[in-house]
Amino acid sequence: MARGHQKELARQRNEKNGAGNKPTSQKGTAAAGLTYQCPVCKTQMGDPKTYKQHFESKHPKNELPAELKDV
C-alpha cells in the first residue's frame, strides 16, 4: 500500500512541475541535433567535422563552403 501512495505523490509532483505535459520523442530530439545541411545533397549532419568529411568524400569537385574552411 505504501508504494501506491508514493506513486500518487510522484504523479502529483510531476503534474505540478509540468513534466507530465511534455511529450518527447526520439525523432524530435535527433532532429534538433542535426544542425548542418549539405548544400549539394541536402544531407543533415550533427557536427562540422563530420560535415567536412562528408563534403570532401562525396563532393570533391565542388568548392568547400565558407563555414567549413576554418574547421
Side-chain angles (χ1 to χ4, degrees):
M1 207 62 175
R3 182 61 186 143
H5 182 65
Q6 289 173 342
K7 282 184 182 179
E8 181 62 26
L9 290 176
R11 185 188 62 75
Q12 290 174 356
R13 191 171 40 246
N14 287 339
E15 284 180 359
K16 180 181 167 190
N17 293 337
N21 298 335
K22 297 182 200 172
T24 58
S25 69
Q26 290 179 346
K27 233 182 197 182
T29 305
L34 301 174
T35 56
Y36 297 95
Q37 185 175 23
C38 177
V40 179
C41 63
K42 304 300 182 197
T43 303
Q44 294 182 331
M45 278 132 306
D47 61 291
K49 185 176 179 183
T50 306
Y51 180 26
K52 186 173 184 176
Q53 288 175 348
H54 161 81
F55 206 87
E56 290 172 345
S57 66
K58 302 292 182 183
H59 315 294
K61 294 180 182 177
N62 295 17
E63 186 178 336
L64 208 62
E67 58 202 21
L68 292 179
K69 291 184 180 182
D70 59 342
V71 175

